[in-house]
Amino acid sequence: MFLTTSLLPFEKLWDKFFSGHEDRFSVYVHASKEKPVHVSRYFVDRDVRSDKVIWGQISMIDAERRLLANALGDPDNQHFVLLSDSCVPLYKFDYIYNYLIYSNMSYLDCFYDPGPHGNGRYSEHMLPEIELKDFRKGAQWFSMKRQHAVIVMADSLYYTKFRDYCKPGLDGKNCIADEHYLPTFFHIVDPGGIANWSVTHVDWSERKWHPKLYRTQDVTSALLKNITSINLSIHVTSDEKRDVQVQSCLWNGTTRPCYLFARKFHPETTNNLLKLFANYTSL
């Protein structure tokens, strides 16, 4: 499920990734500004009805739910992966398919952050359904099993609380709905069913509002090797303590690499990525 404003610059790469596996996936595209011109046959006529998306607002969640609703319409779809226009796969199709389909949980980023960018965004208007102790944070790029996609679509109680009380500027706080709604929802309804990390890697080491953007000179086999060798999930709290929370990435009880996808890649990296893709591991 691709969430984009208009273009999907890595369609050629995804085309290679999907080729030969036609009966094992389906593609859905939510383009919030203008309908993209597709270059891959796998993306043609796969656009869902889209609406305007404003960063940090509930419209981002609405777009995710629109994608889920469309994807749930096909009973063959058993695992649902949310990707952005700057995401690329880190492995060949079979490895990623087997990792997700045979996993016993959903991969959703979720951690406790007592700092200003975590619990500092909580509003007491969310009581009694959502208490401060249950408020969680995480990246929006999820990968979830069908039963979890179903309960997300069935939810109106928690969604309404976030729609009304988690938005930038409300009560002087900068609450970002897509960073808190699903992590909090799953922490409350099925904490044992999620892995607490996202299978999409992103580099926040520059400590800016947005993550590192990989340019042509950054995209090497060494970079991909580094990302695919990570088997620990690390979260850092936003308070003065800057607590580092570390957990092993466990797949059905066994330590495995955490990441199947990565972002943010600049469109100029396409050719480099296409060359590297031929040598991707298919372990």
Side-chain angles (χ1 to χ4, degrees):
M1 304 183 303
F2 290 86
L3 195 54
T4 180
T5 52
S6 55
L7 292 175
L8 284 169
F10 298 112
E11 271 192 37
K12 281 184 185 171
L13 180 64
W14 287 107
D15 188 86
K16 270 197 167 176
F17 174 78
F18 288 132
S19 182
H21 306 284
E22 288 73 10
D23 58 340
R24 295 197 287 165
F25 71 91
S26 46
V27 170
Y28 301 86
V29 179
H30 185 291
S32 58
K33 285 187 179 166
E34 56 183 282
K35 194 175 172 183
V37 176
H38 297 298
V39 297
S40 164
R41 59 190 164 137
Y42 304 120
F43 289 80
V44 173
D45 296 329
R46 304 307 299 170
D47 300 279
V48 307
R49 186 189 66 78
S50 304
D51 214 336
K52 196 174 174 188
V53 173
I54 299 168
W55 182 79
Q57 300 204 3
I58 199 71
S59 56
M60 185 72 83
I61 304 293
D62 294 338
E64 294 176 10
R65 284 165 67 114
R66 238 174 256 125
L67 282 163
L68 279 175
N70 279 274
L72 278 166
D74 182 345
D76 287 341
N77 290 335
Q78 293 300 312
H79 208 100
F80 302 77
V81 183
L82 182 69
L83 299 164
S84 79
D85 50 1
S86 68
C87 282
V88 302
L90 292 170
Y91 296 92
K92 297 259 175 96
F93 184 91
D94 282 328
Y95 180 90
I96 292 179
Y97 181 88
N98 291 336
Y99 191 113
L100 296 177
I101 288 290
Y102 299 113
S103 167
N104 58 12
M105 56 179 56
S106 291
Y107 295 91
L108 191 101
D109 200 26
C110 176
F111 75 107
Y112 177 76
D113 179 4
H117 300 311
N119 284 12
R121 296 171 172 176
Y122 172 80
S123 167
E124 289 188 347
H125 293 299
M126 293 184 174
L127 288 167
E129 290 83 4
I130 303 166
E131 297 178 51
L132 178 62
K133 69 179 177 61
D134 292 322
F135 197 67
R136 290 295 184 274
K137 183 179 180 176
Q140 75 187 102
W141 312 107
F142 62 74
S143 170
M144 67 174 69
K145 302 201 96 47
R146 188 175 183 92
Q147 69 262 30
H148 283 149
V150 169
I151 62 172
V152 168
M153 293 311 300
D155 172 53
S156 60
L157 180 67
Y158 298 100
Y159 168 85
T160 304
K161 290 285 181 176
F162 278 88
R163 182 194 66 201
D164 295 345
Y165 304 118
C166 178
K167 40 189 156 182
L170 183 72
D171 296 337
K173 295 173 181 179
N174 197 33
C175 193
I176 312 292
D178 62 78
E179 291 183 5
H180 297 284
Y181 165 58
L182 287 178
T184 302
F185 175 68
F186 278 105
H187 175 71
I188 293 170
V189 302
D190 189 12
I194 61 169
N196 294 325
W197 86 87
S198 166
V199 287
T200 297
H201 178 268
V202 64
D203 182 351
W204 285 102
S205 61
E206 295 177 344
R207 300 203 25 207
K208 297 175 181 172
W209 270 105
H210 294 285
K212 178 179 174 62
L213 179 66
Y214 296 111
R215 306 296 296 244
T216 299
Q217 66 272 19
D218 301 314
V219 177
T220 61
S221 56
L223 171 72
L224 300 180
K225 217 168 252 169
N226 284 346
I227 296 173
T228 54
S229 68
I230 298 168
N231 59 12
L232 294 173
S233 165
I234 298 172
H235 292 106
V236 182
T237 62
S238 63
D239 57 355
E240 288 175 1
K241 286 184 182 171
R242 306 282 305 163
D243 273 340
V244 179
Q245 303 171 15
V246 181
Q247 70 169 103
S248 291
C249 292
L250 297 178
W251 184 88
N252 295 358
T254 307
T255 301
R256 291 275 291 272
C258 305
Y259 303 113
L260 305 177
F261 311 98
R263 65 189 296 269
K264 291 178 92 172
F265 287 83
H266 191 282
E268 71 182 24
T269 60
T270 303
N271 287 338
N272 266 20
L273 286 162
L274 281 166
K275 281 180 202 148
L276 289 168
F277 187 74
N279 299 319
Y280 273 20
T281 179
S282 48
L283 292 173

